[in-house]
Amino acid sequence: MTGRIGRIDRRWFERVAAARLAGAEQVLPPLSSAANRGRLWFGAAALLAAAGGPAARRAARRGVGALALASLTTNAVAKYAVRRSRPVHDAVPLVRRLAKAPWTSSFPSGHAASAAAFATGVALESPPYGAVVAPVAAAVAFSRVYVGVHYPGDVLAGIALGAAAAAVTCYWWPPRPAPARIERTRVPAPALPDGEGLVVVVNSGSGKGVPGRPPARGYVELLLPGAEVLECGQGDDLGKVLDKAVARAAESGGALGVCGGDGTVNAAARRAVAAGLALAVFPGGTLNHFALDAGTATFEDTAHAVRRGEAVRVDLARVRDGAGADVTGFVNTFSIGLYPELVRRRERLEGRIGKWPAATVSLLGVLRDATPLRVRLDGHDRVLWLLFAGNGRYLPDGLAPSHRPHLDEGLLDVRTVDAEAPLARTRLALSALAGALRRSHVYRAERVEQLRISGLESVADLAYDGERAPAPDALLLDKRRGALTVYSPADPEDEITQLARTASLAAARRRPVNP
């Protein structure tokens, strides 16, 4: 860093050193230290995940993933490629200086890179939360010049690197689109003001609850006081409780409601289709994949749609045995082989390192001790590491699908990883690490109306929507197109509007609710 650019950099550093900003000496040095090793951003991610909604949790995961990538690039590559001495901070007042000055290369600023990566990653998933984080990130970046450990050019380079790292995560893990950009087929459903005629089954064993919100049963009764709520406790037979709810909803000419995870939603959806009832899904599970795709990310969304009679059409995928008898169905995904274990490991890691890195690490782990699966797909013998089928096309392509742009297109999203090709395991790992899995010859993705699977004598279980069932020797996967009607608000609102609507109920929350 010599010549004219270097002189400009030093001149601006001296101007900042001479500046006297009211209150900055009490705020910026501690803030700069708080960001050491990403502690400030990990704390912010934990706060978002604990106190925010689904978008906040996705924003936290992407922010942490972008931070990890930026930190690796900065500290393992950039600082060694450009060895620049730290500025001489004699002109910086002693009260501003850090207790322990860093000794690594000055270019680029790792703190600025991490701050920009986290803020940009959060903003990609949730602009409102990004707007909250951005001023803090900017303050951390500026603090590195203010305390005398970086030149302004170091900070600007760090910001550019961090923003680029966040953008790169979109290549492997595209952000979930805004609700308005997801195409859903609108259909009418019974409008139930205050929930009269709605019978809701609350599975108390699903999910972890939401901090600051009443228990699920009480919250449903608060939002829809006319609804009947049946609770399925631990040890109760969920199927029997759902059957009771279906009978009562059909008798009153109303609708079926369900609060629980995707497995609970699956059981309710199949019964709703059989009885010709609309389904209201309250997101009461841990991940709530189906509720997010259907446009009901919060309890308020579902209650709003029920009151107005707003709904969408959704396919129900079927799993039938070789004789044509129904085995089960699925609203999200089906898999055999290694995929259930891959998902379990990925979900355990993704909150810390991001979805795509977690998917890659989990893939390498399950392949290490895996035994290939020998099956016959539509009459063709295949040797596979895993088979995945989605109820509709999932995005992104690859091993970490997250959302569906359509819910009633009548197609299955089938993905397989071939185990027979030369060096298949190594090629798969390298393709996943490079983000080029879609172009790998060992990975296949196709959209079909149905899929016949046979030769399953050695397969013990199949997995669907987070549940397991014994696998018959042969299966047929197909679709009941548009068979399910799900309540969904016609005018999707962003989280800030949702929070405002929730705040308007604060006074009502003070009244007692049934336990």
Side-chain angles (χ1 to χ4, degrees), residues 23-62:
E25 292 175 355
Q26 289 74 39
V27 175
L28 293 182
L31 184 65
S32 189
S33 298
N36 288 345
R37 295 182 174 84
R39 291 195 301 264
L40 175 65
W41 310 120
F42 289 125
L47 181 63
L48 282 172
R57 291 191 287 274
R58 293 195 305 272
R61 289 194 294 268
R62 186 177 297 278

Side-chain angles (χ1 to χ4, degrees), residues 130-200:
V132 173
V133 173
V136 182
V140 169
F142 176 72
S143 74
R144 303 306 285 173
V145 181
Y146 189 77
V147 301
V149 296
H150 279 291
Y151 292 104
D154 304 334
V155 169
L156 291 176
I159 291 173
L161 192 152
V168 166
T169 65
C170 298
Y171 177 74
W172 297 295
W173 176 22
R176 174 179 284 272
R181 293 173 54 197
I182 297 179
E183 298 182 19
R184 303 185 179 99
T185 303
R186 310 302 312 184
V187 293
L192 307 174
D194 291 333
E196 294 93 344
L198 178 68
V199 184
V200 183

